[in-house]
Amino acid sequence: MYEFFDRLVNVALARVRDRRALRWLLRHPEATRLRSRHQLVALIKRFGSGATPLLRRALRAPLPESPMRLAAIEALGLWKDRRARTMLRRLLAAGPVETRVAAARALGNVGDPRSAPALSKALADREWQVRAQAARALGMLGIAAALQRLAAAMEDPAWWVRRNAAYALATMGPQGERALLWVSRNSADPFARDMALEVLEILEWERESPGGIARVE
């Protein structure tokens, strides 16, 4: 019963965009501990994109990692808040592992090419989850400067990193396809060659049947 009324109150406050309520929720993440991150992102979005300054201020505070803080990071990315990019790069470099993953995803969604160096550096993160999300985010930026780093990431020991790097290259047009072709023919890593060939086949399928990559993912 408490959870039901708590949900009603939070949604009602969000609908009237009471920023004081959002500030309180960000400072007291235990109040939303029963909700998934997806639910929390949806809740934050109800406050509107005008809440981005409040989210940025909250994330600067040295508080423990929590689903509410992770949802705030996700929301900044979904709102493409370019003013958050410096803070997101800092979190990507030095936050806890789930924070680093969320920051990489948010930087990809923001889509600012100036985040490419930070995301490229994250391809060497000690946790594969961060490396995988950084590879995907670099593909979303779509800049040629990332081609070499993504091609190298295809030799990562983690399957998800190799996959995300390969599909990131696949989204980058003829240059990305040439990089995949080079990996398929020249990499000393058989797993990298196999992944490159798989994605090249998907690209060929895409040409024959538009929307192929979307269906695979």
Side-chain angles (χ1 to χ4, degrees):
M1 182 66 71
Y2 170 79
E3 181 183 354
F4 173 74
F5 283 108
D6 170 69
R7 181 173 182 275
L8 284 180
V9 170
N10 287 340
V11 170
L13 289 171
R15 282 177 175 166
V16 298
R17 301 191 174 183
D18 187 327
R19 303 288 162 71
R20 292 171 299 177
L22 179 57
R23 186 181 298 112
W24 188 89
L25 289 171
L26 290 164
R27 290 177 178 175
H28 299 84
E30 69 279 1
T32 54
R33 66 186 183 279
L34 298 178
R35 299 198 184 187
S36 69
R37 192 190 310 183
H38 176 77
Q39 290 173 318
L40 292 173
V41 171
L43 175 63
I44 290 173
K45 288 176 68 177
R46 287 178 179 269
F47 286 90
S49 59
T52 53
L54 179 57
L55 298 182
R56 292 195 301 269
R57 286 196 297 271
L59 289 169
R60 291 189 190 104
L63 297 174
E65 186 175 77
S66 68
M68 189 64 180
R69 282 177 68 82
L70 296 174
I73 294 171
E74 300 275 5
L76 288 171
L78 293 173
W79 277 322
K80 300 186 182 301
D81 182 21
R82 291 198 169 201
R83 297 185 66 180
R85 62 182 183 272
T86 299
M87 181 197 65
L88 292 172
R89 290 196 292 259
R90 177 177 57 80
L91 293 174
L92 174 62
V97 59
E98 287 298 325
T99 293
R100 300 201 304 277
V101 171
R105 184 182 296 110
L107 286 170
N109 284 325
V110 170
D112 190 329
R114 288 173 288 185
S115 297
L119 289 166
S120 294
K121 186 176 181 180
L123 290 175
D125 193 278
R126 63 183 178 275
E127 301 294 342
W128 69 262
Q129 297 95 327
V130 181
R131 301 196 304 273
Q133 195 55 238
R136 182 174 182 273
L138 281 168
M140 296 174 73
L141 297 187
I143 60 173
L147 287 167
Q148 187 174 357
R149 294 300 302 270
L150 286 169
M154 290 186 62
E155 296 185 356
D156 193 279
W159 182 86
W160 272 108
V161 181
R162 298 196 301 273
R163 179 189 186 277
N164 281 10
Y167 277 94
L169 288 170
T171 66
M172 297 172 72
Q175 287 182 310
E177 188 167 353
R178 285 194 294 272
L180 286 166
L181 188 61
W182 187 93
V183 171
S184 72
R185 293 174 176 174
N186 299 289
S187 176
D189 186 331
F191 298 109
R193 295 197 303 270
D194 288 347
M195 183 62 71
L197 288 170
E198 173 188 320
V199 177
L200 286 167
E201 289 177 359
I202 294 297
L203 286 172
E204 184 61 30
W205 179 23
E206 173 73 15
R207 280 188 283 269
E208 296 177 1
S209 175
I213 288 182
R215 288 196 295 272
V216 170
E217 300 224 300

